[in-house]
Amino acid sequence: MTITNEELNMSNDNLKDVLVRKLGIYELRGLARELGISSPTTKRRSELVDLIIENRANIKNTGMADLALSKKGRPYKKLGTIEEIMNAVIMEENQKIVVPKGRPSYESLICFAQEIPTFDHIAKEFKILTGVLRIANLSAYFIDNKFGIKVFIPDEMLEEYNLSQGDFVKARCVKINNVGQFMADNLMEINFTNVDEYAVKEIETPRPIISREKLPFGTDMICCGRRNVIEYTNDIFEDEKFEDFAKDCQSRGIRVIVLGLNISFENDIMYNNIDNVTTFTTVYGSEASAGLERAVDAIGLCQKLMQRGEKVVLFVNDIVEVLRTLDKNYTFSEKTDDGHFVESVVIAQKVLSLGRAYEGGLWTTLLVAYRDFDKNNEFLNNELFKVSAKI
């Protein structure tokens, strides 16, 4: 985004209006949420612009902090957070949002790549690909959750279908360059629904509760809306408990998501051949960076489905192996007392935080597996076991 000399010579109020009108759809949604505008992901761009400008005028008229803008061009550096936009558009010039130092937040760790697609050539090579939408200030894209292919989403497709961060999309895609990147050519499904039948929705988060609902897992019962841990001696594919559980969830209208990093080939085959299961997995020997990508997308999809009012079970295949894989991405950092790098623990804690229940029967349930030979792992004992029901 650039500001012209003519725009720089405008009054401060008009200049701020120009800035708001030049923000992308994701920045507009983030800014609207910070201003207290309800359900921003269900609104079109033009409606958001009008509401933000109206809201800003209300702030000024009621004597609250006026909006200010630094005339240094782009008002934000990354879109993992909204602080830069808030500082540029909402706060007074001498007022800044203070981000606490110390252990990083999950949001500060996740900064999606700012990348513009390069069209070296458009080959007549099409693939049907799926993944979780990421929106950065220069591009929107997803990383296919099976093959790791990066797929860009055209701006007009974002606007036409009112797509937002975390949407799970399925699209016909065309190859656009020699490094194996693709562009979505035809959108087929959004959040597991045909595009012709899909409707954007975002519920207001109800009051948190402790759910008494339970689901059968083998001969045991798991607590819905909580964190459940299960110890495995053999590998998961070696009995039918998970497969039977996934089929039961399908009959109840519950979406099952699997996060598994550096898993056995047999487990990966099993997960990918069960209906109603969406996998975010890497097989043994895969790059650690691919594991980080899968973990981020699994979290993003769980959050999106919860926002839409859908019930979700997140099954974590071997949480200790997830941590070990994440650790390989952060070898430059410091380790915690649990023996894992700080960033890996933050991501694992984010996963655990997803398990919760709300009024009206809405919940996300975690079922976290670990291997018997890891039962003395300090993260399990210091973090997981303390906040989970063991089955």
Side-chain angles (χ1 to χ4, degrees), residues 206-222:
R207 183 173 66 90
I209 62 168
I210 299 175
S211 173
R212 303 300 179 187
E213 188 177 352
K214 294 187 177 183
L215 290 172
F217 188 84
T219 58
D220 299 300
M221 301 294 288
I222 66 172

Side-chain angles (χ1 to χ4, degrees), residues 289-328:
S289 58
L292 176 59
E293 301 284 13
R294 301 297 190 278
V296 169
D297 282 345
I299 292 169
L301 180 57
C302 285
Q303 291 175 316
K304 169 59 69 172
L305 295 179
M306 172 64 83
Q307 290 170 6
R308 289 180 53 80
E310 300 182 29
K311 290 184 176 181
V312 179
V313 171
L314 174 60
F315 181 80
V316 181
N317 182 112
D318 195 345
I319 183 65
V320 177
E321 190 59 39
V322 168
L323 280 161
R324 290 179 182 132
T325 303
L326 293 174
D327 278 341
K328 294 176 184 178

Side-chain angles (χ1 to χ4, degrees), residues 247-270:
K247 291 177 180 178
D248 182 51
C249 286
Q250 184 175 26
S251 69
R252 299 170 187 260
I254 302 167
R255 173 67 51 182
V256 178
I257 297 171
V258 172
L259 171 61
L261 307 184
N262 203 37
I263 66 175
S264 68
F265 298 102
E266 292 81 4
N267 276 341
D268 196 56
I269 291 170
M270 177 189 67

Side-chain angles (χ1 to χ4, degrees), residues 97-346:
I97 294 176
V98 178
V99 180
K101 295 183 178 180
R103 176 173 290 204
S105 67
Y106 172 77
E107 287 72 21
S108 70
L109 291 177
I110 307 306
C111 183
F112 297 133
Q114 309 293 335
E115 185 174 350
I116 298 176
T118 301
F119 294 87
D120 290 340
H121 71 279
I122 300 179
K124 292 183 178 180
E125 181 180 339
F126 293 92
K127 290 181 181 291
I128 304 299
L129 301 171
T130 60
V132 177
L133 185 62
R134 304 173 174 193
I135 301 182
N137 68 341
L138 297 180
S139 60
Y141 63 93
F142 66 86
I143 296 175
D144 180 77
N145 60 317
K146 287 185 173 60
F147 306 109
I149 297 171
K150 179 173 282 189
V151 179
F152 292 95
I153 304 291
D155 289 345
E156 57 269 22
M157 190 175 286
L158 280 180
E159 179 67 17
E160 179 180 358
Y161 295 103
N162 206 9
L163 298 173
S164 62
Q165 184 93 3
D167 281 330
F168 190 83
V169 296
K170 178 179 181 180
R172 187 185 74 166
C173 309
V174 59
K175 189 175 180 180
I176 59 172
N177 57 41
N178 289 320
V179 296
Q181 295 178 340
F182 282 68
M183 177 72 76
D185 173 68
N186 182 45
L187 199 59
M188 301 166 66
E189 293 181 6
I190 308 172
N191 295 324
F192 313 101
T193 303
N194 186 284
V195 291
D196 295 330
E197 303 169 1
Y198 180 75
V200 176
K201 63 179 179 180
E202 179 180 300
I203 67 166
E204 296 295 331
T205 304
R207 183 173 66 90
I209 62 168
I210 299 175
S211 173
R212 303 300 179 187
E213 188 177 352
K214 294 187 177 183
L215 290 172
F217 188 84
T219 58
D220 299 300
M221 301 294 288
I222 66 172
C223 301
C224 297
R226 292 180 59 188
R227 294 150 300 281
N228 304 266
V229 294
I230 182 169
E231 179 180 304
Y232 270 82
T233 301
N234 298 317
D235 214 346
I236 293 169
F237 75 90
E238 294 183 14
D239 61 49
E240 298 177 349
K241 285 192 296 186
F242 178 83
E243 188 169 0
D244 291 342
F245 173 73
K247 291 177 180 178
D248 182 51
C249 286
Q250 184 175 26
S251 69
R252 299 170 187 260
I254 302 167
R255 173 67 51 182
V256 178
I257 297 171
V258 172
L259 171 61
L261 307 184
N262 203 37
I263 66 175
S264 68
F265 298 102
E266 292 81 4
N267 276 341
D268 196 56
I269 291 170
M270 177 189 67
Y271 294 139
N272 283 291
N273 282 280
I274 304 175
D275 291 338
N276 189 48
V277 171
T278 304
T279 60
F280 295 92
T281 57
T282 60
V283 296
Y284 175 75
S286 298
E287 292 288 336
S289 58
L292 176 59
E293 301 284 13
R294 301 297 190 278
V296 169
D297 282 345
I299 292 169
L301 180 57
C302 285
Q303 291 175 316
K304 169 59 69 172
L305 295 179
M306 172 64 83
Q307 290 170 6
R308 289 180 53 80
E310 300 182 29
K311 290 184 176 181
V312 179
V313 171
L314 174 60
F315 181 80
V316 181
N317 182 112
D318 195 345
I319 183 65
V320 177
E321 190 59 39
V322 168
L323 280 161
R324 290 179 182 132
T325 303
L326 293 174
D327 278 341
K328 294 176 184 178
N329 292 277
Y330 298 110
T331 54
F332 58 86
S333 186
E334 297 180 0
K335 287 190 175 181
T336 67
D337 294 338
D338 297 331
H340 298 284
F341 288 107
V342 172
E343 291 82 358
S344 303
V345 172
V346 168

